[in-house]
Amino acid sequence: ATRCLAVDPGQPETAPVREAGAVLRRGGLVAFPTETVYGLGANALDAQAVANIFRAKGRPADNPLIVHMDSFAALGKYILEMPAVVSALAEKFWPGPLTLVLRGNRSFPPVVTGGLSTVAVRVPAHPVALALLREAGVPVAAPSANASGRPSPTTASHVLEDLAGRIDLVLDGGPAGLGLESTVLDLTGQCPVILRPGGITRPDLEAVLGPVELDPSVNGAPAGDRPRSPGMKYKHYAPRAPLVLFEGDSSGQVAAAIYAEAQRLEAGGKRVGILACSETAPLYRGFDVVVTGRCSDSGSIAASLYDSLRRFDRLDVDIILAEGVAPRGLGLAVMNRLRRAAGDRIVRI
Ligand code: TXA
Ligand code: MG
């Protein structure tokens, strides 16, 4: 059975952190809070332990993992070359929600990197994550602690919903911070490329690096067979019911289109869920509305997006109609996740 230990998110107690560190060192799986989402950790130097992450999540073997470390200083041991910009990025954004893809020196078993010559690394900012990494004394490979394809977990109960009985331990430190995963930045080419938008925005990065490219998959272009970030070719972040995303510049027109479609579907006998922000929610009276933050504040939407998607599972709706948000700042990461959840069901107004 999976054990769950409560831990103070601000000042983690020694006992649960020690216990979790010991589980990691002996090859077990521990879910823990980070400042983005909950991660499912294993000792990154232990191929068998890492293989068990893939088994617990049902994750495709060619989708590599992010290795978490307790400091920038720990990184040098595992990479082939340190591009000059890394220390500037680390200085500014670590600990924090930025993952760097660098050339590895093959210290990690291929199961961590999906056999790639590169490795994704980050230093998380959450006090529980940092305490656990220090206690474990090894780098920790950790994808998000959800079943593969499901919305990422932002609470311990989301983790248990997906993985109870499949992992050894959950450290329950309350809700994760940001609510969306880290930004993944590839530094192995000529120009830095954002492979996945997240907590650190493109303007944040450009202030340090100059021009930064966006991988075409970020805005929903088909990733093809060999995308730069292998995770981008899989359907992701999906609630159980199909989700239709409505995008447009005018929130009034988007709401009108959603309302009309909801009425049509309901007349056809479908139970309709609507994902709306607090400003527009009153327009959809009569339907199962889940409010995900304020339209005017993409941070509030990021924080509750995954929990909102999981709520529709409990409401048992047949179909979800979702409002898009402006793809600026954190809104770009929100829209990336919504587009991935929608697949090809996108309506442009
Ligand atoms: O915020 C986060 O990043 C969370 C917390 C737990 O740290 N972790 C997370 O991991 O979101 P995961 O496994 O769900 O997503 C890792 C992403 C995937 O899209 C994967 O394809 C990409 O990082 N990735 C990992 N290694 C890579 C590499 N060597 N090259 C390109 N992309 C890589
Ligand atoms: Mg994930």
Side-chain angles (χ1 to χ4, degrees):
T2 299
R3 284 184 315 138
C4 188
L5 299 177
V7 54
D8 184 317
Q11 282 172 308
E13 301 84 347
T14 311
V17 171
R18 254 200 204 144
E19 192 157 345
V23 171
L24 287 176
R25 277 196 307 275
R26 63 168 186 263
L29 301 185
V30 175
F32 59 96
T34 83
E35 79 283 18
T36 60
V37 299
Y38 273 69
L40 177 60
N43 175 357
L45 300 169
D46 179 340
Q48 188 53 52
V50 176
N52 287 337
I53 291 181
F54 285 82
R55 203 158 40 170
K57 284 181 56 100
R59 183 177 174 107
D62 66 347
N63 191 4
L65 306 179
I66 296 172
V67 179
H68 297 67
M69 299 180 189
D70 66 3
S71 67
F72 171 56
L75 176 60
K77 224 169 130 178
Y78 303 103
I79 61 171
L80 201 58
E81 56 186 22
M82 183 80 81
V85 295
V86 174
S87 64
L89 289 169
E91 175 88 8
K92 182 114 185 99
F93 300 115
W94 280 355
L98 177 65
T99 294
L100 301 178
V101 174
L102 300 166
R103 281 180 219 291
N105 65 8
R106 308 212 174 256
S107 299
F108 298 116
V111 62
V112 171
T113 58
L116 298 172
S117 59
T118 55
V119 57
V121 289
R122 89 175 184 101
V123 179
H126 195 293
V128 173
L130 280 174
L132 176 62
L133 288 166
R134 286 191 194 115
E135 178 64 34
V138 291
V140 171
S144 48
N146 51 292
S148 192
R150 300 267 301 141
S152 296
T154 54
T155 65
S157 61
H158 294 163
V159 175
L160 292 170
E161 226 168 77
D162 284 11
L163 301 178
R166 302 177 148 257
I167 62 178
D168 298 292
L169 184 65
V170 182
L171 288 179
D172 182 353
L178 193 69
L180 295 179
E181 301 85 345
S182 62
T183 302
V184 178
L185 183 72
D186 185 347
L187 293 176
T188 63
Q190 290 288 350
C191 180
V193 183
I194 293 174
L195 301 181
R196 179 179 72 183
I200 304 296
T201 65
R202 187 182 194 180
D204 293 338
L205 293 169
E206 290 189 327
V208 176
L209 296 173
V212 171
E213 288 173 14
L214 270 190
D215 192 72
S217 68
V218 167
N219 287 313
D225 283 346
R226 299 187 120 256
R228 288 178 74 167
S229 184
M232 287 308 192
K233 72 173 184 267
Y234 298 104
K235 185 176 162 186
H236 255 99
Y237 316 118
R240 296 204 171 87
L243 180 146
V244 185
L245 176 62
F246 288 71
E247 296 184 16
D249 296 330
S250 152
S251 63
Q253 281 172 16
V254 165
I258 290 178
Y259 192 81
E261 179 65 0
Q263 282 188 311
R264 194 185 69 80
L265 288 163
E266 200 184 48
K270 294 262 189 278
R271 177 149 192 191
V272 182
I274 297 178
L275 183 69
C277 56
S278 54
E279 291 95 324
T280 52
L283 301 172
Y284 306 115
R285 211 160 290 136
F287 295 101
D288 284 308
V289 180
V290 172
V291 174
T292 184
R294 295 176 297 283
C295 315
S296 55
D297 173 8
S298 50
S300 70
I301 295 178
S304 57
L305 181 67
Y306 289 140
D307 183 64
S308 301
L309 293 177
R310 283 174 182 263
R311 265 172 216 275
F312 286 116
D313 295 340
R314 293 192 285 277
L315 289 170
D316 206 24
V317 298
D318 299 311
I319 186 162
I320 301 163
L321 308 181
E323 291 178 345
V325 303
R328 285 188 302 275
L330 256 188
L332 180 67
V334 170
M335 282 306 275
N336 169 259
R337 307 308 190 270
L338 281 172
R339 286 172 181 149
R340 306 286 307 285
D344 54 10
R345 294 178 301 270
I346 297 180
V347 179
R348 293 201 169 75
I349 306 296

